[in-house]
Amino acid sequence: RTGAGVQAAGTEEGRAVSHEAQRLSELRIVLLGERVAGKSSAGNTILGRKEFVSCRGTEQSVRRQGEVAGRQVTVVDTPGWFTLKETPAQIKQEIVRSTSLCPPGPHAILLVNPVRVDYERHRTSAKEHLELLGETAWRHTLLLFTCGDRLGDTALEQHIQTGGQDLQWLLQKCGNRYHVLNNQNRQDSTQVTELLEKIEQMRWEEEESTADEIDLSCKEERERGEERQNHDERLREREEEWKDKRRDEKLKMKETQEEKEE
């Protein structure tokens, strides 16, 4: 598939496809979660076709791409962890490697868990594995509920309200960002469109936050520069005062010496 894409890029049609891909808004997504949480199924739902094998556990991080709702979407599926077992080092390495598969980094990390799970255990394991990606990983994380069909007539907000303090903690760490997918109803494209819109909102907020941090950094640098300049000026003033004082002392000593000689 990759070889065909490279070859097509040299043709008129290939160049047109390449320009179209550049024109599309790009979104990069990483799926994280415990085993059998529905990560692979969620990836297939997002891309609108079966790209990830969901019948067996994923052992390596896998990247797939496609055009979805007018966007160029990259999805990285990762190996899941067991909540009651120590995660093998190889799985941890694959989780860390996942972000390098969508350079320069994901716009969103989707923390996947099915509705009606033990959120106490999920909170502990989620914290442990998110920290593998660095301290700022939570800033890019959205809580993605799968198995939305299990909600029945219960609204997602009602499920969240009755989910207990551990679910509330997870939501707070994710900046109260959440979404639900029903992987059994992939014909409902609105659930994917709404998810992508939420990810774009995250992206815009992060870019604005980064711009604010840059502005603040520039302001602080200017202030430090002004402080250094003021400090240097005070040093120069003190040096001039010292020179004047030494000059007066020498002049006074000379006058005293002349008086003694007379």
Side-chain angles (χ1 to χ4, degrees):
R1 182 177 302 154
T2 302
V6 172
Q7 184 177 4
T11 65
E12 296 257 343
E13 181 181 357
R15 282 191 292 271
V17 171
S18 177
H19 290 317
E20 178 67 14
Q22 293 177 3
R23 185 187 66 80
L24 295 175
S25 173
E26 181 186 15
L27 290 179
R28 301 182 296 274
I29 300 169
V30 170
L31 300 168
L32 285 184
E34 62 186 21
R35 286 181 178 265
V36 302
K39 298 187 304 300
S40 300
S41 295
N44 293 334
T45 299
I46 292 171
L47 292 175
R49 60 182 183 274
K50 189 171 183 179
E51 288 283 358
F52 303 105
V53 179
S54 56
C55 61
R56 64 175 185 273
T58 302
E59 299 299 330
Q60 291 183 322
S61 293
V62 180
R63 177 183 62 189
R64 294 290 184 265
Q65 295 174 302
E67 181 181 339
V68 183
R71 303 167 178 87
Q72 188 69 19
V73 179
T74 299
V75 179
V76 179
D77 190 17
T78 61
W81 58 77
F82 292 105
T83 55
L84 298 179
K85 294 182 180 179
E86 175 66 25
T87 303
Q90 180 183 355
I91 300 299
K92 292 182 178 180
Q93 291 174 1
E94 285 298 311
I95 291 174
V96 173
R97 190 176 74 91
S98 65
T99 58
S100 66
L101 294 179
C102 51
H107 293 115
I109 300 169
L110 303 186
L111 182 57
V112 182
N113 65 283
V115 296
R116 305 187 190 282
V117 300
D118 185 344
Y119 292 111
E120 180 179 1
R121 291 186 303 175
H122 189 70
R123 163 183 172 170
T124 303
S125 58
K127 181 177 183 297
E128 174 188 350
H129 293 88
L130 256 295
E131 288 177 351
L132 295 173
L133 302 181
E135 297 179 357
T136 62
W138 287 106
R139 289 170 52 181
H140 306 274
T141 303
L142 179 148
L143 190 59
L144 180 65
F145 295 94
T146 54
C147 306
D149 53 298
R150 296 182 186 175
L151 289 171
D153 296 331
T154 304
L156 178 60
E157 287 70 21
Q158 182 180 351
H159 171 71
I160 290 174
Q161 290 175 359
T162 59
Q165 62 181 5
D166 294 298
L167 176 56
Q168 300 303 321
W169 183 89
L170 281 171
L171 282 170
Q172 183 178 9
K173 292 293 288 184
C174 294
N176 292 316
R177 296 180 293 264
Y178 61 89
H179 192 71
V180 62
L181 286 181
N182 180 358
N183 294 326
Q184 302 299 320
N185 184 21
R186 290 178 182 162
Q187 291 76 24
D188 180 11
S189 60
T190 59
Q191 60 178 346
V192 175
T193 303
E194 291 175 359
L195 172 61
L196 298 182
E197 289 174 352
K198 292 179 181 179
I199 294 174
E200 283 187 335
Q201 181 66 28
M202 291 173 56
R203 177 182 181 179
W204 294 332
E205 291 174 354
E206 178 63 22
E207 289 176 352
E208 289 179 358
S209 174
T210 302
D212 291 341
E213 290 176 359
I214 292 174
D215 289 342
L216 180 59
S217 177
C218 292
K219 180 181 179 181
E220 292 175 347
E221 184 61 31
R222 286 195 301 271
E223 291 176 349
R224 285 194 293 268
E226 291 174 358
E227 289 178 359
R228 286 194 296 268
Q229 184 177 357
N230 294 334
H231 177 69
D232 292 342
E233 289 179 356
R234 287 194 297 269
L235 287 178
R236 284 194 294 268
E237 290 174 356
R238 290 177 183 175
E239 185 177 359
E240 290 298 327
E241 291 175 357
W242 181 82
K243 288 181 180 179
D244 292 341
K245 184 178 180 180
R246 289 292 297 164
R247 187 163 50 247
D248 292 342
E249 289 177 349
K250 288 181 179 180
L251 180 59
K252 187 175 182 180
M253 290 175 62
K254 182 179 179 181
E255 291 175 349
T256 302
Q257 182 66 28
E258 289 176 349
E259 289 176 354
K260 286 183 178 180
E261 291 177 353
E262 289 177 357

